[in-house]
Coordinates of all heavy atoms in Angstrom, one line a residue:
L175 N -23.7 16.5 10.9 CA -23.8 16.7 12.3 C -23.9 15.3 13.0 O -23.3 15.1 14.0 CB -24.9 17.6 12.7 CG -24.6 19.1 12.5 CD1 -25.9 19.9 12.8 CD2 -23.4 19.6 13.3
D176 N -24.7 14.5 12.4 CA -24.9 13.1 13.0 C -23.5 12.4 13.0 O -23.1 11.7 13.9 CB -25.9 12.3 12.1 CG -27.3 12.7 12.4 OD1 -27.5 13.4 13.4 OD2 -28.2 12.3 11.6
R177 N -22.9 12.5 11.8 CA -21.6 11.8 11.7 C -20.6 12.3 12.7 O -19.8 11.6 13.3 CB -21.1 11.9 10.2 CG -19.7 11.4 10.1 CD -19.5 10.5 8.9 NE -18.1 10.2 8.7 CZ -17.5 9.2 9.3 NH1 -18.2 8.3 10.1 NH2 -16.2 8.9 9.1
T178 N -20.6 13.7 12.9 CA -19.6 14.3 13.8 C -19.9 13.8 15.2 O -18.9 13.4 15.9 CB -19.8 15.8 13.8 OG1 -19.6 16.3 12.5 CG2 -18.9 16.5 14.7
K179 N -21.1 13.7 15.6 CA -21.5 13.2 17.0 C -21.0 11.8 17.1 O -20.5 11.4 18.1 CB -23.0 13.3 17.2 CG -23.5 14.6 17.7 CD -24.9 14.5 18.2 CE -25.5 15.9 18.2 NZ -26.8 16.1 17.6
Q180 N -21.3 11.0 16.1 CA -21.0 9.6 16.1 C -19.5 9.4 16.3 O -19.1 8.5 17.1 CB -21.4 9.0 14.8 CG -21.7 7.5 14.7 CD -22.1 7.2 13.3 OE1 -21.3 7.4 12.3 NE2 -23.3 6.6 13.1
L181 N -18.7 10.2 15.6 CA -17.2 10.1 15.7 C -16.8 10.5 17.1 O -15.9 9.8 17.7 CB -16.6 11.0 14.7 CG -16.6 10.5 13.2 CD1 -16.3 11.6 12.2 CD2 -15.6 9.4 13.0
L182 N -17.3 11.5 17.7 CA -16.9 12.0 19.0 C -17.3 10.9 20.0 O -16.6 10.7 21.0 CB -17.5 13.3 19.3 CG -16.7 14.5 18.7 CD1 -17.4 15.8 19.0 CD2 -15.3 14.6 19.2
E183 N -18.4 10.3 19.8 CA -18.8 9.2 20.8 C -17.9 8.0 20.6 O -17.4 7.5 21.6 CB -20.3 8.8 20.5 CG -21.3 9.7 21.1 CD -22.7 9.6 20.4 OE1 -22.9 8.6 19.6 OE2 -23.5 10.5 20.7
F184 N -17.5 7.7 19.4 CA -16.7 6.6 19.1 C -15.3 6.7 19.8 O -14.8 5.8 20.4 CB -16.5 6.4 17.6 CG -15.5 5.3 17.2 CD1 -15.9 3.9 17.4 CD2 -14.2 5.5 16.8 CE1 -15.0 2.9 17.0 CE2 -13.4 4.5 16.5 CZ -13.8 3.2 16.6
V185 N -14.8 8.0 19.8 CA -13.4 8.2 20.4 C -13.5 8.4 21.9 O -12.5 8.6 22.6 CB -12.7 9.3 19.7 CG1 -12.4 9.0 18.3 CG2 -13.4 10.7 19.9
G186 N -14.8 8.5 22.4 CA -15.0 8.5 23.9 C -14.9 9.9 24.5 O -14.6 10.0 25.7
L187 N -15.1 10.9 23.7 CA -15.2 12.3 24.4 C -16.5 12.4 25.1 O -17.5 12.0 24.6 CB -15.1 13.4 23.3 CG -14.9 14.8 23.9 CD1 -13.6 15.0 24.5 CD2 -15.3 15.9 22.9
K188 N -16.5 12.9 26.4 CA -17.7 13.0 27.2 C -18.6 14.0 26.5 O -18.2 15.1 26.0 CB -17.4 13.6 28.6 CG -16.7 12.6 29.4 CD -16.9 12.9 30.9 CE -16.2 11.9 31.8 NZ -14.8 12.3 32.1
T189 N -19.9 13.6 26.5 CA -20.9 14.4 25.7 C -21.0 15.9 26.2 O -21.1 16.8 25.3 CB -22.4 13.8 25.9 OG1 -22.2 12.4 25.9 CG2 -23.3 14.3 24.9
E190 N -20.7 16.1 27.5 CA -20.8 17.5 27.9 C -19.6 18.4 27.4 O -19.6 19.6 27.5 CB -20.9 17.6 29.5 CG -19.7 17.1 30.2 CD -19.9 15.6 30.7 OE1 -20.6 14.9 30.0 OE2 -19.3 15.3 31.7
K191 N -18.7 17.7 26.8 CA -17.5 18.5 26.2 C -17.7 18.8 24.7 O -16.9 19.6 24.2 CB -16.2 17.7 26.3 CG -16.0 17.1 27.7 CD -15.2 18.1 28.6 CE -15.0 17.6 30.0 NZ -14.0 18.3 30.7
F192 N -18.7 18.2 24.1 CA -18.9 18.4 22.7 C -19.0 19.8 22.2 O -18.5 20.2 21.2 CB -20.2 17.7 22.2 CG -20.1 16.2 22.1 CD1 -19.1 15.5 22.7 CD2 -21.0 15.5 21.3 CE1 -19.0 14.1 22.6 CE2 -20.9 14.1 21.2 CZ -19.9 13.4 21.8
N193 N -19.6 20.7 23.0 CA -19.8 22.1 22.6 C -19.0 23.1 23.3 O -19.2 24.3 23.3 CB -21.3 22.4 22.7 CG -22.2 21.6 21.7 OD1 -21.8 21.7 20.5 ND2 -23.2 20.9 22.1
L194 N -17.9 22.6 23.9 CA -16.9 23.5 24.5 C -15.8 23.8 23.5 O -15.4 23.0 22.6 CB -16.2 22.8 25.7 CG -16.9 22.5 27.0 CD1 -16.0 21.9 28.0 CD2 -17.6 23.8 27.5
P195 N -15.3 25.1 23.5 CA -14.2 25.4 22.6 C -13.0 24.5 23.0 O -12.8 24.2 24.2 CB -13.9 26.9 23.0 CG -15.0 27.4 23.8 CD -15.7 26.2 24.3
T196 N -12.3 24.1 22.0 CA -11.2 23.1 22.3 C -10.1 23.7 23.2 O -9.3 23.0 23.8 CB -10.6 22.4 21.0 OG1 -10.3 23.5 20.1 CG2 -11.6 21.5 20.4
R197 N -10.0 25.0 23.2 CA -9.0 25.6 24.2 C -9.3 25.2 25.6 O -8.4 25.3 26.5 CB -8.8 27.1 24.0 CG -10.0 28.0 24.5 CD -9.7 29.4 24.2 NE -10.8 30.1 23.6 CZ -12.0 30.4 24.2 NH1 -12.1 30.1 25.5 NH2 -13.0 30.9 23.6
N198 N -10.5 24.9 25.9 CA -10.9 24.5 27.3 C -10.7 23.0 27.5 O -11.0 22.5 28.6 CB -12.3 24.8 27.6 CG -12.6 26.3 27.6 OD1 -11.6 27.1 27.6 ND2 -13.8 26.7 27.6
L199 N -10.2 22.2 26.6 CA -10.0 20.8 26.8 C -8.6 20.5 27.2 O -7.7 21.2 26.8 CB -10.4 20.0 25.5 CG -11.8 20.2 24.9 CD1 -12.0 19.3 23.7 CD2 -12.9 19.9 25.9
N200 N -8.5 19.4 28.0 CA -7.1 19.0 28.3 C -6.5 18.1 27.2 O -7.2 17.8 26.2 CB -7.1 18.2 29.7 CG -7.9 16.9 29.6 OD1 -7.8 16.2 28.5 ND2 -8.5 16.5 30.6
V201 N -5.2 17.8 27.3 CA -4.5 17.2 26.2 C -5.1 15.8 25.8 O -5.1 15.5 24.6 CB -3.0 17.2 26.5 CG1 -2.6 16.1 27.5 CG2 -2.2 16.9 25.2
V202 N -5.6 15.1 26.8 CA -6.1 13.8 26.5 C -7.4 14.0 25.7 O -7.7 13.3 24.7 CB -6.4 13.0 27.8 CG1 -7.1 11.7 27.5 CG2 -5.1 12.8 28.5
E203 N -8.3 14.9 26.1 CA -9.5 15.2 25.3 C -9.2 15.7 23.9 O -9.8 15.3 22.9 CB -10.3 16.2 26.1 CG -10.9 15.7 27.4 CD -11.4 16.7 28.4 OE1 -11.0 17.9 28.3 OE2 -12.1 16.4 29.3
L204 N -8.1 16.5 23.8 CA -7.7 17.0 22.5 C -7.3 15.9 21.6 O -7.5 15.9 20.4 CB -6.6 18.0 22.7 CG -7.0 19.4 23.1 CD1 -5.7 20.3 23.4 CD2 -7.9 20.1 22.1
R205 N -6.6 14.9 22.2 CA -6.2 13.7 21.4 C -7.4 13.0 20.8 O -7.3 12.5 19.7 CB -5.3 12.8 22.2 CG -3.9 13.2 22.3 CD -3.0 12.2 23.0 NE -1.8 12.8 23.5 CZ -0.8 13.1 22.8 NH1 -0.7 12.8 21.5 NH2 0.3 13.7 23.3
R206 N -8.4 12.9 21.7 CA -9.6 12.2 21.2 C -10.3 13.0 20.0 O -10.6 12.4 19.0 CB -10.7 12.1 22.3 CG -10.3 11.2 23.5 CD -11.4 11.1 24.5 NE -11.0 10.6 25.8 CZ -10.8 9.3 26.0 NH1 -11.1 8.4 25.1 NH2 -10.4 8.9 27.2
V207 N -10.3 14.3 20.2 CA -10.9 15.2 19.1 C -10.0 15.0 17.8 O -10.6 14.8 16.7 CB -10.9 16.7 19.5 CG1 -11.3 17.5 18.4 CG2 -11.9 16.8 20.7
Q208 N -8.7 15.0 18.0 CA -7.8 14.8 16.9 C -8.0 13.5 16.2 O -8.0 13.4 14.9 CB -6.4 15.0 17.3 CG -5.4 15.1 16.2 CD -4.0 15.2 16.5 OE1 -3.2 15.9 15.8 NE2 -3.5 14.5 17.5
F209 N -8.2 12.4 17.0 CA -8.4 11.1 16.4 C -9.7 11.1 15.7 O -9.8 10.5 14.5 CB -8.5 10.1 17.6 CG -8.4 8.7 17.2 CD1 -7.6 8.3 16.1 CD2 -9.0 7.7 18.0 CE1 -7.5 6.9 15.8 CE2 -8.9 6.3 17.6 CZ -8.1 6.0 16.5
A210 N -10.8 11.7 16.2 CA -12.1 11.8 15.5 C -11.9 12.6 14.2 O -12.5 12.2 13.2 CB -13.1 12.5 16.4
R211 N -11.1 13.6 14.2 CA -10.9 14.4 13.0 C -10.2 13.6 11.9 O -10.5 13.7 10.7 CB -10.1 15.7 13.3 CG -10.9 16.7 14.0 CD -10.0 17.9 14.3 NE -9.4 18.5 13.1 CZ -8.5 19.4 13.0 NH1 -7.9 19.8 14.2 NH2 -8.0 19.8 11.9
A212 N -9.3 12.8 12.4 CA -8.6 11.9 11.4 C -9.5 10.9 10.8 O -9.5 10.7 9.6 CB -7.4 11.2 12.1
L213 N -10.3 10.3 11.6 CA -11.2 9.2 11.2 C -12.3 9.8 10.2 O -12.8 9.2 9.3 CB -11.9 8.5 12.3 CG -11.0 7.7 13.2 CD1 -11.7 7.1 14.4 CD2 -10.3 6.6 12.4
A214 N -12.6 11.1 10.5 CA -13.7 11.7 9.7 C -13.3 11.8 8.2 O -14.2 11.8 7.3 CB -13.9 13.2 10.2
T215 N -12.0 11.8 7.9 CA -11.6 11.9 6.5 C -11.7 10.5 5.8 O -11.3 10.4 4.6 CB -10.2 12.5 6.3 OG1 -9.3 11.6 6.9 CG2 -10.1 13.8 7.0
K216 N -12.1 9.5 6.5 CA -12.2 8.1 6.0 C -10.9 7.7 5.4 O -10.8 7.3 4.2 CB -13.3 8.1 5.0 CG -14.7 8.4 5.5 CD -15.7 7.5 5.1 CE -16.9 7.5 6.0 NZ -18.1 6.9 5.4
P217 N -9.8 7.6 6.2 CA -8.5 7.3 5.6 C -8.5 5.8 5.2 O -9.2 5.0 5.8 CB -7.6 7.5 6.8 CG -8.4 7.4 8.0 CD -9.7 7.9 7.6
K218 N -7.6 5.5 4.3 CA -7.2 4.1 3.9 C -6.0 3.8 4.8 O -5.9 2.6 5.2 CB -6.9 4.0 2.5 CG -8.1 4.3 1.5 CD -7.7 4.0 0.1 CE -8.8 4.2 -0.9 NZ -8.8 5.6 -1.4
L219 N -5.1 4.8 4.9 CA -3.9 4.6 5.8 C -3.9 5.7 6.8 O -4.0 6.9 6.5 CB -2.7 4.7 4.9 CG -1.3 4.7 5.6 CD1 -1.1 3.4 6.4 CD2 -0.2 5.0 4.6
L220 N -3.9 5.2 8.1 CA -3.9 6.2 9.2 C -2.5 6.2 9.9 O -2.0 5.2 10.2 CB -5.0 5.7 10.2 CG -5.2 6.6 11.4 CD1 -5.6 8.0 11.1 CD2 -6.3 5.9 12.3
L221 N -1.9 7.4 10.0 CA -0.6 7.6 10.6 C -0.8 8.1 12.0 O -1.5 9.2 12.1 CB 0.2 8.5 9.8 CG 0.3 8.3 8.3 CD1 1.1 9.4 7.6 CD2 1.0 6.9 8.0
L222 N -0.4 7.4 13.0 CA -0.6 7.9 14.4 C 0.7 8.2 15.0 O 1.6 7.3 15.2 CB -1.3 6.8 15.2 CG -2.7 6.3 14.7 CD1 -3.2 5.1 15.5 CD2 -3.7 7.5 14.7
D223 N 0.9 9.5 15.4 CA 2.2 9.9 16.0 C 2.0 10.0 17.5 O 1.5 11.1 18.0 CB 2.7 11.2 15.3 CG 4.2 11.4 15.6 OD1 4.8 10.6 16.4 OD2 4.8 12.3 15.0
E224 N 2.4 9.0 18.2 CA 2.3 9.0 19.7 C 0.9 9.4 20.2 O 0.7 10.2 21.1 CB 3.4 10.0 20.3 CG 4.8 9.6 19.8 CD 5.8 10.2 20.8 OE1 5.5 10.5 21.9 OE2 7.0 10.2 20.3
L225 N 0.0 8.7 19.7 CA -1.4 8.9 20.1 C -1.7 8.6 21.5 O -2.5 9.2 22.2 CB -2.4 8.0 19.2 CG -3.9 8.2 19.4 CD1 -4.3 9.5 18.7 CD2 -4.7 7.0 18.9
L226 N -0.9 7.7 22.1 CA -1.1 7.2 23.4 C -0.3 7.9 24.5 O -0.5 7.7 25.7 CB -0.8 5.7 23.6 CG -1.5 4.8 22.6 CD1 -1.2 3.3 22.9 CD2 -3.0 5.0 22.5
T227 N 0.6 8.8 24.0 CA 1.5 9.5 25.0 C 0.6 10.4 26.0 O -0.3 11.1 25.5 CB 2.5 10.4 24.3 OG1 3.3 9.5 23.5 CG2 3.4 11.1 25.2
G228 N 0.9 10.3 27.3 CA 0.2 11.1 28.2 C -1.1 10.5 28.8 O -1.7 11.0 29.6
L229 N -1.4 9.3 28.3 CA -2.7 8.7 28.7 C -2.4 7.8 30.0 O -1.3 7.3 30.1 CB -3.3 7.8 27.6 CG -3.6 8.4 26.3 CD1 -4.4 7.4 25.5 CD2 -4.4 9.7 26.5
T230 N -3.4 7.7 30.8 CA -3.3 6.8 32.0 C -3.4 5.4 31.4 O -3.8 5.2 30.3 CB -4.5 7.0 33.0 OG1 -5.7 6.6 32.3 CG2 -4.5 8.4 33.5
P231 N -2.9 4.4 32.2 CA -3.0 3.0 31.7 C -4.4 2.6 31.2 O -4.6 2.0 30.2 CB -2.6 2.1 32.9 CG -1.7 3.0 33.7 CD -2.3 4.4 33.5
K232 N -5.5 3.1 31.9 CA -6.8 2.8 31.5 C -7.2 3.4 30.2 O -7.7 2.8 29.3 CB -7.8 3.2 32.6 CG -9.3 2.9 32.3 CD -10.2 3.1 33.6 CE -11.6 3.1 33.2 NZ -12.1 4.3 32.5
E233 N -6.8 4.7 30.1 CA -7.1 5.5 28.9 C -6.3 4.8 27.7 O -6.8 4.7 26.6 CB -6.7 6.9 29.0 CG -7.6 7.7 29.9 CD -7.0 9.0 30.4 OE1 -5.7 9.2 30.2 OE2 -7.7 9.9 30.9
S234 N -5.1 4.4 28.0 CA -4.3 3.8 27.0 C -4.9 2.5 26.5 O -4.9 2.2 25.3 CB -2.9 3.6 27.6 OG -2.1 3.0 26.7
D235 N -5.4 1.7 27.4 CA -6.1 0.4 27.0 C -7.3 0.7 26.1 O -7.5 0.0 25.1 CB -6.6 -0.4 28.3 CG -5.4 -1.0 29.0 OD1 -4.3 -1.1 28.4 OD2 -5.6 -1.5 30.1
E236 N -8.1 1.8 26.5 CA -9.2 2.1 25.6 C -8.8 2.5 24.2 O -9.4 2.2 23.2 CB -10.0 3.3 26.3 CG -10.8 3.0 27.5 CD -11.2 4.2 28.3 OE1 -11.0 5.3 27.8 OE2 -11.7 4.0 29.4
A237 N -7.7 3.3 24.2 CA -7.2 3.8 22.9 C -6.7 2.6 22.1 O -6.9 2.6 20.9 CB -6.1 4.8 23.1
I238 N -6.0 1.6 22.7 CA -5.5 0.4 22.0 C -6.7 -0.3 21.4 O -6.7 -0.7 20.2 CB -4.7 -0.5 23.0 CG1 -3.4 0.2 23.3 CG2 -4.5 -1.8 22.3 CD1 -2.7 -0.5 24.5

Side-chain angles (χ1 to χ4, degrees):
L175 285 174
D176 285 348
R177 171 131 175 89
T178 301
K179 273 191 200 134
Q180 204 181 57
L181 284 162
L182 281 173
E183 278 159 14
F184 178 74
V185 298
L187 188 74
K188 289 203 178 87
T189 318
E190 63 263 31
K191 309 271 176 165
F192 282 19
N193 291 309
L194 289 184
T196 50
R197 72 180 129 75
N198 294 348
L199 301 184
N200 65 36
V201 71
V202 176
E203 292 162 343
L204 284 173
R205 277 186 202 281
R206 292 187 198 275
V207 172
Q208 189 182 216
F209 194 33
R211 285 180 56 193
L213 294 175
T215 65
K216 300 224 161 162
K218 297 185 178 90
L219 173 64
L220 181 60
L221 310 173
L222 302 174
D223 199 350
E224 302 202 19
L225 185 75
L226 308 185
T227 299
L229 302 190
T230 64
K232 182 171 170 281
E233 288 164 345
S234 179
D235 285 346
E236 288 166 8
I238 290 167

